[in-house]
Amino acid sequence: MPKAYRVVIARFCHESNRQNPETTGEDFFLIERGRNTLRSPSGVLKGLAEKLAAVGVELEPVFSVDAPPSGLVDHAFYLRRREELLEAVRQLKPDAIGLDLHGAMGTTQIPDAEGDLLEALRLLVGPDVPIAIGLDLHAHLTWRMLDNTDICIGYKENPHSDTVECGEKVAELLIERLEGRLKPVTVSALVPMVLPGAQETASGPLADIHEKAREYTAQNPSIRDISIYNVYRFVDDDEIGQVVTVLSDGPDANAPSIAMDLVTRFWVERARFKDDLLSVDEVFELVRNSPQKRPFAIGDMGDRVAAGAPGDSTVLLAAALDHHPGLRGAVPVTDPAGAAQAIEAGVGATVSLSIGAGFTPGFKPRLITGRVEHVSDGAFVVEGCLGKGSRSEMGATAVLRVDDRVFVLLTTKPSCFLDPAAFSSQNLDLATLDFLVVKSGYHFALNFGDLATPVLVRTPGVGYYSPGQFTYEKSRFWPEVNIPNPKVVAYQHSVGTPREIVAKAFA
Ligand SMILES: [Zn+2]
């Protein structure tokens, strides 16, 4: 490399569920600044930072601002972080900017926070300073985000086992762009639909679409990335849908037809994107009748903290206590007041508490009586492969043993959505349990590995999309609305030139 480039890097990640009535404020976020940003990086930030540093780039880490999915972000908090990043860029005058963003952050005032952030950065640095971002494949990818970035690519896998690789690829493309070896042009196309189910990329219709994308990439040397975004289903904005992006070195003659073909496959295959989740009774019968020794990790789809739900459901707890005697398990419930009361009573005390249902409309609280087994500040370090080494916080947490067989984790913050350390840090031995409830749908399977068998259950709550359940004010998409034959438009995005329509067709 002829000169040492200086690159501002930062992470600002949140997936904002507008169905969750709680606003996500500063206390929800883990914030690191300056060099601390890189103390134990994970995901895109890790891949980006390590790859850039390995080729001699001087890193200027600004911050890592990260929270688990939850309700819309407090707009004033967002604006303060935006200004903090802009001010750092003003002071540092970097050669480029590399960001780890989720891509589905909404605030109490705007549905496309990343679009707003990237536009503000672009206005500040002009067209010649490259901006490169890595996104979650559940991003709500908007034209505004694409118009203001040189390089925008997403994860390819759900569960997200390739987040670090995504960051490395962002870094590689950014270096090529800085050295003048890459003139990035992105073609994008959107079809207005969400996926009710079949969200995993290793099997089913998504596996087929990704296979086709890899084929296209192999056949077209100037195409450097094809990303396929399965939009987060709990946003509401003018255009939401499945998005395909094709990033090439200079305009590629095949890119528009490739984007159109891949995105149209979603529409053609839409009947295959249905879910086949077990009911609560079916899942407990599975647990009861299984000969296996290791526990089942039951993904509570309705109350998925991993999709922005509050984690305050008592549905699975009530089913286990009332209908499945003999089963030993662990169930987390977000309940700050209950956790405080149990901690106040102290380890060894027996308490009766009405727990849960503090946040989600329609949920019912549950009266439990149990012995306080353990209390802590709820901090732990992620042990599984996704986010390994990163800090996680449940807030003040108490474990109650109910009916001598079900451990209830009363947490202050929504939690228990990814990693076994959430349980083991509370002195729970997973090997002694028949089941444990995880507030997640997909990613936990990676982190639990051999410790538990993942299974998903259909439950009520704001973390599970089923057609007609929620009100959307802006968005029109299938299957919420019957769209007989949606029009698909492919746009070309290239920094410094206006967005251009490069193809149009009915799906
Ligand atoms: Zn995701």
Side-chain angles (χ1 to χ4, degrees):
M1 202 181 283
K3 65 167 270 196
Y5 292 107
R6 282 168 57 250
V7 177
V8 154
I9 58 171
R11 163 188 277 166
F12 194 0
C13 279
H14 191 254
E15 193 178 45
S16 316
N17 185 328
R18 68 183 285 277
Q19 309 298 341
N20 180 337
E22 295 294 298
T23 296
T24 302
E26 182 149 9
D27 55 335
F28 270 76
F29 285 90
L30 277 174
I31 304 177
E32 302 278 14
R33 289 191 168 85
R35 292 287 146 192
N36 283 344
T37 302
L38 299 178
R39 207 162 45 170
S40 56
S42 59
V44 165
L45 185 68
K46 177 181 167 72
L48 181 63
E50 290 179 356
K51 199 80 179 179
L52 290 175
V55 294
V57 166
E58 195 183 320
L59 299 178
E60 298 283 6
V62 175
F63 58 50
S64 169
V65 178
D66 198 357
S70 50
L72 294 171
V73 173
D74 172 49
H75 190 66
F77 170 77
Y78 161 74
L79 288 179
R80 289 197 297 275
R81 296 294 78 74
R82 185 184 76 174
E83 183 49 33
E84 187 177 342
L85 183 56
L86 290 170
E87 183 55 26
V89 172
R90 258 182 229 118
Q91 297 284 332
L92 293 163
K93 299 186 174 49
D95 296 304
I97 299 167
L99 302 177
D100 176 356
L101 304 174
H102 181 286
M105 177 162 57
T107 77
T108 44
Q109 291 186 23
I110 53 174
D112 174 24
E114 286 89 349
D116 177 80
L117 177 72
L118 292 163
E119 190 174 88
L121 281 168
R122 180 60 73 199
L123 272 172
L124 176 63
V125 300
D128 297 331
V129 173
I131 300 175
I133 63 173
L135 296 175
D136 193 285
L137 68 66
H138 300 112
H140 161 46
L141 186 62
T142 62
W143 312 143
R144 200 177 177 200
M145 289 159 71
L146 289 165
D147 288 343
N148 290 293
T149 47
D150 298 75
I151 291 149
C152 169
I153 67 176
Y155 315 156
K156 307 295 184 279
E157 291 172 17
N158 184 37
H160 304 326
S161 54
D162 63 331
T163 57
V164 177
E165 287 93 323
C166 178
E168 290 171 349
K169 191 164 177 186
V170 172
E172 282 166 19
L173 295 173
L174 178 57
I175 293 161
E176 289 184 40
R177 162 68 183 81
L178 277 167
E179 294 182 340
R181 293 184 283 123
L182 174 73
K183 293 187 170 53
V185 174
T186 297
V187 169
S188 70
L190 174 148
V191 65
M193 61 178 280
V194 307
L195 309 184
Q199 302 252 350
E200 300 195 21
T201 51
S203 59
L206 283 184
D208 298 343
I209 295 173
H210 279 271
E211 176 61 32
K212 190 68 196 168
R214 284 191 292 273
E215 225 174 82
Y216 279 135
T217 309
Q219 289 163 355
N220 293 272
S222 83
I223 291 177
R224 305 301 305 280
D225 177 74
I226 296 179
S227 291
I228 297 166
Y229 298 91
N230 308 132
V231 65
Y232 183 57
R233 295 163 292 178
F234 310 100
V235 293
D236 191 14
D237 202 355
D238 293 328
E239 282 192 280
I240 80 167
Q242 305 304 300
V243 176
V244 172
T245 60
V246 180
L247 189 156
S248 58
D249 182 14
D252 184 286
N254 296 325
S257 60
I258 290 172
M260 297 291 278
D261 173 58
L262 290 172
V263 89
T264 302
R265 283 167 190 257
F266 280 95
W267 186 254
V268 173
E269 305 257 12
R270 62 194 182 282
R272 290 177 70 199
F273 288 103
K274 58 180 186 297
D275 75 47
D276 51 359
L277 300 181
L278 299 180
S279 68
V280 174
D281 283 342
E282 285 167 338
V283 90
F284 279 113
E285 282 311 307
L286 175 71
V287 174
R288 176 179 298 287
N289 296 323
S290 168
Q292 71 174 31
K293 289 271 190 298
R294 65 180 188 175
F296 282 86
I298 303 174
D300 184 347
M301 289 297 277
D303 197 30
R304 261 190 312 155
V305 171
D312 59 340
S313 171
T314 58
V315 169
L316 293 170
L317 174 65
L321 289 175
D322 298 343
H323 305 301
H324 300 282
L327 288 185
R328 290 171 56 82
V331 186
V333 178
T334 309
D335 191 327
Q341 278 178 269
I343 290 168
E344 171 83 31
V347 172
T350 297
V351 291
S352 290
L353 300 170
S354 176
I355 63 160
F359 306 102
T360 304
F363 275 4
K364 290 197 187 84
R366 167 80 192 194
L367 185 66
I368 58 168
T369 299
R371 180 180 186 276
V372 181
E373 294 285 322
H374 188 261
V375 299
S376 75
D377 65 1
F380 65 91
V381 174
V382 173
E383 291 172 355
C385 57
L386 197 58
K388 188 177 177 68
S390 61
R391 292 190 299 138
S392 194
E393 289 181 354
M394 305 192 279
T397 295
V399 180
L400 263 62
R401 186 183 189 123
V402 180
D403 197 15
D404 206 31
R405 64 186 176 90
V406 176
F407 296 89
V408 181
L409 282 78
L410 293 175
T411 67
T412 296
K413 294 182 178 182
S415 56
C416 299
F417 57 91
L418 176 66
D419 198 72
F423 298 88
S424 57
S425 66
Q426 304 305 304
N427 267 6
L428 289 172
D429 180 359
L430 300 193
T432 65
L433 303 177
D434 300 307
F435 74 93
L436 51 106
V437 171
V438 181
K439 301 290 183 175
S440 170
Y442 307 99
H443 314 314
F444 72 103
L446 290 175
N447 282 32
F448 277 82
D450 294 336
L451 296 175
T453 303
V455 59
L456 304 183
V457 61
R458 187 172 61 244
T459 44
V462 299
Y464 179 61
Y465 171 78
S466 62
Q469 185 186 354
F470 303 122
T471 307
Y472 292 87
E473 281 149 25
K474 294 179 166 182
S475 321
R476 284 187 82 255
F477 58 83
W478 180 90
E480 210 57 33
V481 179
N482 181 30
I483 304 171
N485 47 353
K487 191 173 200 180
V488 181
V489 178
Y491 294 98
Q492 183 170 290
H493 313 259
S494 174
V495 171
T497 58
R499 182 192 327 154
E500 190 188 336
I501 292 176
V502 287
K504 268 188 210 179
F506 288 97

